[in-house]
């Protein structure tokens, strides 16, 4: 009788194992944007300065870009309200993240202060000091 229950338990365990493997593969496939899709999205992306003391313009961006007043920044903003290393915008999978780097005056997305990092969608306004930016994808 015990052999019968052990056999049933074994089949139940195997069923749960196969369900878990199927679920894991489904999640991986759904979250994986694929190398071509991610490369195409990043290749055509740019940051556009909308308003502020910095000259309006567009900057092509790769996976990550550092914003601030320091010479080592990828995009230098001529704004006294901007810290030397103010914020970083980076691509994670299919999404953009903006990260405040402990700046003095903060980083805002559509008027909401960023604490740590936050997802940002193309078209949303990013405010760094007195400078407003947006991400555009083609």
């Amino acid at each position: 009788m015990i052999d019968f229950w052990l056999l049933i338990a074994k089949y139940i365990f195997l069923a749960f194992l196969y369900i878990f493997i199927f679920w894991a593969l489904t999640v991986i496939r759904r979250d994986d944007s694929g190398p071509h899709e991610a490369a195409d999205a990043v290749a055509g992306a740019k940051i556009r300065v909308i308003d502020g003391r910095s000259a309006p313009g567009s900057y092509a961006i790769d996976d990550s870009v550092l914003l601030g007043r320091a010479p080592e920044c990828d995009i230098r903003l001529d704004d006294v309200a901007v810290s030397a290393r103010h914020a970083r915008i980076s691509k994670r999978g299919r999404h953009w993240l903006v990260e405040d780097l402990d700046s003095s005056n903060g980083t805002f997305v559509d008027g909401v202060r960023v604490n740590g990092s936050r997802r940002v969608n193309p078209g949303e306004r990013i405010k760094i000091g007195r400078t407003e930016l947006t991400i555009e994808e083609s």
Side-chain angles (χ1 to χ4, degrees):
M1 186 67 169
I2 290 180
D3 291 336
F4 173 75
W5 290 111
L6 287 175
L7 182 66
I8 295 296
K10 181 171 79 171
Y11 284 122
I12 291 172
F13 174 74
L14 285 174
F16 279 118
L17 181 63
Y18 283 118
I19 290 170
F20 174 76
I21 291 171
F22 176 75
W23 172 80
L25 290 174
T26 302
V27 169
I28 290 170
R29 187 182 63 193
R30 182 180 46 200
D31 288 345
D32 185 21
S33 62
H36 300 294
E37 182 179 328
D40 291 343
V42 173
K46 59 185 171 181
I47 292 180
R48 186 167 59 95
V49 177
I50 299 170
D51 190 22
R53 298 187 57 117
S54 298
S58 294
Y59 302 89
I61 55 174
D62 291 326
D63 290 337
S64 178
V65 63
L66 179 64
L67 299 118
R69 288 185 298 135
E72 70 267 10
C73 291
D74 300 312
I75 298 176
R76 293 187 62 203
L77 300 174
D78 184 26
D79 184 344
V80 294
V82 173
S83 298
R85 294 172 41 91
H86 196 102
R88 178 182 322 280
I89 298 175
S90 56
K91 184 84 168 176
R92 298 278 165 81
R94 297 179 198 168
H95 306 288
W96 290 100
L97 292 178
V98 62
E99 176 186 7
D100 184 74
L101 302 175
D102 296 324
S103 63
S104 301
N105 295 319
T107 302
F108 298 83
V109 175
D110 284 341
V112 178
R113 188 176 186 126
V114 174
N115 294 318
S117 65
R118 178 191 187 280
R119 182 175 155 184
V120 61
N121 297 312
E124 289 184 309
R125 290 182 174 248
I126 303 164
K127 187 167 184 177
I128 296 175
R130 293 185 212 124
T131 305
E132 285 194 28
L133 316 143
T134 188
I135 298 173
E136 297 177 342
E137 291 183 335
S138 40

